[in-house]
Amino acid sequence: MAEKLTAVKGMNDILPPESARWEWFEDKVRSLMRRHGYANVRTPIVEPTALFVRGLGEVTDIVEKEMYSFTDSMNGDPLTLRPEATAGIVRAMVEHNALYNGPLRVWTMGAVFRHERPQKGRYRQFHQIDVEALGHPGPDVDAEQILMCRTLWRELGLVEGQDVRLEINSLGQADERQQHRKALIAHFEAHAPVLDDDARRRLHSNPLRILDSKNPAMQAVVESAPQLMSFLGEASLAHLATVRAILDAAGLEYRVNPRLVRGMDYYNLTVFEWVTDKLGAQGTVCGGGRYDGLFGQLGGKPTPAVGWGLGVERLLLLLEATGSAIAPPVPDAYAVIPDAAALPVAMRMLQALRDAGVSVQMHAGTGEGRGNMKSQIKKADASGARHALIFGAQELAQGQVAVKSLRDGAGAQVLRPLADASAWAATLKPADAGFVGR
Ligand code: ATP
Ligand code: MG
């Protein structure tokens, strides 16, 4: 036998029954987006490397050490598997002049890639929901986006304050960060001996990034660093105050965390993260903020924008940790067809049922492997289907099929006409959606 191949380390297969949770979650997200006026977009998984270097910032964890970058062997182009979705969306908007008619709210869902050390909640290929409001200066849409997340948590059965908590901050504007930067450098220089290699390297290139350090040995010096908040001017403070007033009125609790800086350089003003303490070190399930400078940085007209990204794997792990049950969908019916000669007639009827929205699993097999009536009914039972459609010789001779209940009132059987399946198809469908959340 040939040697078995395995998936790339840190990249996961998503198979049944787990995939049912994904589909359930994706349906919730789609509905949320529709209700908030967000249109779906899809951009390529591979982009020019320069997009991320310019967009995310040269001195960021992602660009310095997490990107899957390679050279196109056909033409030598430097390419990168997208490590996040925002830069690609902004590139697409600029390239297609998509904001020509005014602001746009868009969202996408897909795989992103980061070369990190794989562990629970941290993978090399993972999935993000990415939501962007383009062309609005805020702070109204900033607050709307945060509240949108809250709606999603509620609809997923998560309890805010208990399962997820909101942290917000303001990163102000470039000139305010410039003043803060000087104070930061002075502070870290005064504590030079405790800085780690990353921090020392970033001291003059990107000192704000040091605040994002996860090194426990650096927490004290990070904690005592001057806070950007005290460098903010009137307009930045007013922006934050309006966001807070809307959240307060909505009864949403949050913590203003002056140390929240986020991992990319493109953010300004509002930034936020939804965190949990149920996933150990991988505590951030969702993060976002305003990035008014990114369009300009990527060669577009200056355009205010705000967005958030959610880690799907982490969110689903959190749902599991909170005891959210999943019941994978089962077919409405399983078709028992003992005699292969009946297949043409039987399958024509199954088509009619499926056209009417019934889910049907057909028994399949050839020759001896097809199995007799008894073994096929066993398979029907094991499939979890609510009904068996039995195409027995006697029933077929009368132009009928026997419909046997396998769950509620198991054993009860009725005869239905083959010719007119659409008329009784609805009797096979469940009353509920067949999927139970928490
Ligand atoms: P972290 O601080 O945990 O590395 P991040 O700030 O790098 O997260 P973002 O770039 O904001 O993360 O990405 C948005 C979301 O994607 C995160 O909140 C998280 O839920 C998820 N995420 C980030 N990196 C990974 C990963 N390697 N594997 C799985 N999910 C991830
Ligand atoms: Mg990270």
Side-chain angles (χ1 to χ4, degrees):
M1 267 211 286
E3 198 189 330
K4 276 189 198 146
L5 297 166
T6 56
V8 175
K9 187 177 174 204
M11 306 202 180
N12 301 315
D13 300 307
I14 298 153
L15 308 175
E18 188 53 25
S19 53
R21 197 192 277 278
W22 282 72
E23 289 196 293
W24 170 78
F25 170 73
E26 288 160 5
D27 285 348
K28 299 269 186 203
V29 170
R30 279 206 179 87
S31 152
L32 182 81
M33 295 307 154
R34 217 169 283 134
R35 284 175 288 142
H36 287 79
Y38 280 76
N40 188 247
V41 294
R42 295 151 199 236
T43 61
I45 284 177
V46 179
E47 294 275 5
T49 301
L51 173 66
F52 303 114
V53 176
R54 259 164 69 189
L56 277 51
E58 215 142 349
V59 192
T60 54
D61 276 348
I62 293 180
V63 172
E64 280 186 337
K65 48 194 179 198
E66 295 174 359
M67 293 207 299
Y68 279 91
S69 295
F70 56 98
T71 307
D72 185 326
S73 61
M74 304 295 172
N75 59 13
D77 287 348
L79 302 176
T80 293
L81 300 182
R82 64 181 180 200
E84 55 93 66
T86 305
I89 289 178
V90 170
R91 186 225 14 93
M93 294 295 141
V94 172
E95 183 171 338
H96 302 286
N97 200 13
L99 299 183
Y100 183 75
N101 289 318
L104 215 53
R105 286 174 165 94
V106 299
W107 74 282
T108 196
M109 166 155 60
V112 298
F113 302 82
R114 296 184 192 177
H115 203 281
E116 303 195 69
R117 191 170 66 78
Q119 51 199 292
K120 192 175 174 199
R122 193 174 290 285
Y123 312 104
R124 290 181 174 173
Q125 174 180 308
F126 62 101
H127 297 78
Q128 284 189 345
I129 306 292
D130 196 70
V131 181
E132 317 283 3
L134 310 170
H136 301 282
D140 48 2
V141 280
D142 306 25
E144 185 185 42
Q145 287 204 336
I146 293 172
L147 291 172
M148 215 175 152
C149 298
R150 184 204 17 200
T151 304
L152 181 60
W153 311 146
R154 288 183 171 177
E155 294 179 358
L156 294 170
L158 291 170
V159 181
E160 61 197 85
Q162 187 182 314
D163 299 328
V164 276
R165 289 177 288 105
L166 174 66
E167 301 205 336
I168 66 171
N169 190 21
S170 174
L171 297 185
Q173 303 291 14
D175 53 329
E176 294 155 353
R177 281 199 301 279
Q178 194 55 36
Q179 294 306 314
H180 174 237
R181 179 192 154 99
K182 283 188 201 144
L184 262 189
I185 294 177
H187 170 79
F188 287 124
E189 273 176 342
H191 294 87
V194 297
L195 300 186
D196 61 15
D197 288 348
D198 266 350
R200 220 163 280 148
R201 205 162 26 80
R202 290 170 173 182
L203 181 55
H204 291 280
S205 55
N206 196 345
L208 192 65
R209 200 68 23 263
I210 301 176
L211 299 180
D212 202 23
S213 168
K214 294 195 174 72
N215 182 353
M218 296 237 333
Q219 291 315 298
V221 65
V222 164
E223 208 101 32
S224 60
Q227 295 184 353
L228 177 51
M229 194 65 83
S230 44
F231 291 80
L232 299 188
E234 217 172 297
S236 294
L237 290 172
H239 192 108
L240 178 62
T242 305
V243 172
R244 293 186 60 175
I246 296 169
L247 301 185
D248 290 339
L252 173 56
E253 281 180 29
Y254 55 86
R255 184 168 85 93
V256 177
N257 175 2
R259 290 182 41 211
L260 181 64
V261 296
R262 309 274 306 125
M264 288 75 133
D265 282 354
Y266 53 55
Y267 289 108
N268 68 313
L269 290 173
T270 316
V271 288
F272 62 92
E273 286 189 349
W274 287 91
V275 298
T276 179
D277 31 49
K278 301 198 157 142
L279 294 178
Q282 275 55 255
T284 311
V285 292
C286 174
R290 181 155 283 285
Y291 54 93
D292 296 335
L294 187 57
F295 273 76
Q297 230 164 288
L298 296 179
K301 272 204 300 269
T303 305
V306 58
W308 52 271
L310 174 156
V312 179
E313 282 83 353
R314 274 190 209 175
L315 201 268
L316 297 186
L317 279 171
L318 175 60
L319 283 170
E320 237 172 275
T322 59
S324 150
I326 74 158
V330 292
D332 296 324
Y334 187 103
V336 170
I337 313 166
D339 183 359
L343 280 170
V345 171
M347 286 178 74
R348 212 173 61 182
M349 201 209 78
L350 299 187
Q351 183 62 50
L353 289 179
R354 288 167 176 153
D355 289 347
V358 176
S359 63
V360 185
Q361 187 173 329
M362 182 188 76
H363 184 87
T366 320
E368 287 292 300
R370 188 160 182 83
N372 59 17
M373 173 78 84
K374 197 170 152 205
S375 77
Q376 288 195 24
I377 287 183
K378 248 191 176 158
K379 289 265 162 55
D381 222 357
S383 76
R386 277 178 296 273
H387 306 274
L389 304 172
I390 303 169
F391 295 87
Q394 234 175 328
E395 290 89 358
L396 284 168
Q398 293 162 15
Q400 290 179 318
V401 59
V403 179
K404 185 177 174 185
S405 293
L406 297 174
R407 308 289 156 223
D408 312 329
Q413 194 165 308
V414 288
L415 292 172
R416 300 285 189 191
L418 288 176
D420 194 15
S422 62
W424 52 271
T427 64
L428 299 174
K429 287 195 247 179
D432 59 75
F435 199 105
V436 201
R438 179 152 62 131

